[in-house]
Amino acid sequence: MARSKMKDGEKTELTGPDDDAARADILTERTRMRRHTIGDFDASAALWGDPEIARHISGKPSTRSESWARLLRYIGHWQALSFGYWVVEDRATGGFFGEVGLADYKRDMTPSLGPWPEIGWAMATHAQGRGLATEAVAAALGWSDRWLPADRTVCIIAPDHDASIRVAKRNGFAERGRGQFGSENSPVLIMERFKPGI
């Protein structure tokens, strides 16, 4: 993969690494992060079917059909772009904690997020309040810094979702502006983090 950096304003398509090392699981102190398989459907559907999880993201729980489409999108991201989302598991037990990853959703929103990878995360209610999201997001960003050419990463967060805003800030994100997203033009906080050394 070309290692050139994608700077502000460039309209380069995002592509990820071809290296087998980049496809390996990520281990943190408490988690194992691995790519999704079809076998993750029930855990992922339970996560996204939880009204508490959906409250700050989509506003409503996902149906199993919507969760199935999301799982296929996760797998497809890796197939098409060589980056995507990981399942976050308990390193000791293999239990499901949640999902974190990088995406190019080509979101129709105002203002545009630009050509940079968008990071997102969702942790099951039993895994919240323990710093696990911060730990997993840090690992995903470390992977991105090493393997993706983009000079920054972006994210969108509901302005009243204090826990996710804290996770973003702890991982070096700062507010870039406000925007609107979704069929109801819901307000979102747009945050960005520059790759270290930029």
Side-chain angles (χ1 to χ4, degrees):
M1 178 183 80
R3 299 299 298 168
S4 60
K5 294 194 187 321
M6 184 172 54
K7 300 291 186 183
D8 194 5
E10 290 184 20
K11 297 299 180 191
T12 307
E13 287 294 314
L14 293 176
T15 57
D18 297 324
D19 238 281
D20 284 342
R23 298 175 188 204
D25 293 351
I26 299 172
L27 298 177
T28 71
E29 181 181 348
R30 297 177 291 169
T31 74
R32 173 181 175 233
M33 295 164 54
R34 61 168 178 78
R35 290 159 64 168
H36 287 78
T37 68
I38 296 302
D40 295 310
F41 175 59
D42 286 334
S44 186
L47 174 73
W48 292 102
D50 183 339
E52 187 58 30
I53 300 301
R55 182 167 59 104
H56 292 293
I57 300 173
S58 63
K60 65 178 184 63
S62 294
T63 64
R64 285 182 64 83
S65 176
E66 290 166 338
S67 292
W68 178 249
R70 180 182 289 107
L71 178 64
L72 295 178
R73 188 169 64 230
Y74 288 158
I75 294 168
H77 246 85
W78 284 103
Q79 292 298 315
L81 300 175
S82 297
F83 66 89
Y85 269 66
W86 293 270
V87 171
V88 182
E89 297 177 327
D90 185 321
R91 187 169 171 176
T93 69
F96 181 86
F97 281 153
E99 300 169 338
V100 64
L102 302 149
D104 180 8
Y105 289 130
K106 307 258 187 249
R107 291 194 190 276
D108 293 321
M109 62 176 287
T110 304
S112 168
L113 292 180
W116 300 287
E118 176 187 344
I119 193 164
W121 58 90
M123 302 301 280
T125 53
H126 71 270
Q128 293 178 8
R130 299 160 51 189
L132 291 165
T134 299
E135 184 175 326
V137 168
L141 289 168
W143 185 95
S144 176
D145 289 344
R146 178 172 182 186
W147 296 107
L148 298 185
D151 70 341
R152 74 194 73 181
T153 307
V154 297
C155 66
I156 60 173
I157 301 174
D160 62 345
H161 196 346
D162 295 334
S164 276
I165 292 169
R166 283 192 301 274
V167 169
K169 287 182 176 179
R170 287 177 184 146
N171 278 287
F173 283 86
E175 183 175 344
R176 183 175 92 185
R178 301 283 173 131
Q180 295 180 320
F181 175 71
S183 59
E184 298 180 13
N185 287 322
S186 299
V188 291
L189 181 64
I190 302 171
M191 302 184 77
E192 68 183 356
R193 170 197 175 267
F194 286 87
K195 185 181 289 191
I198 298 296

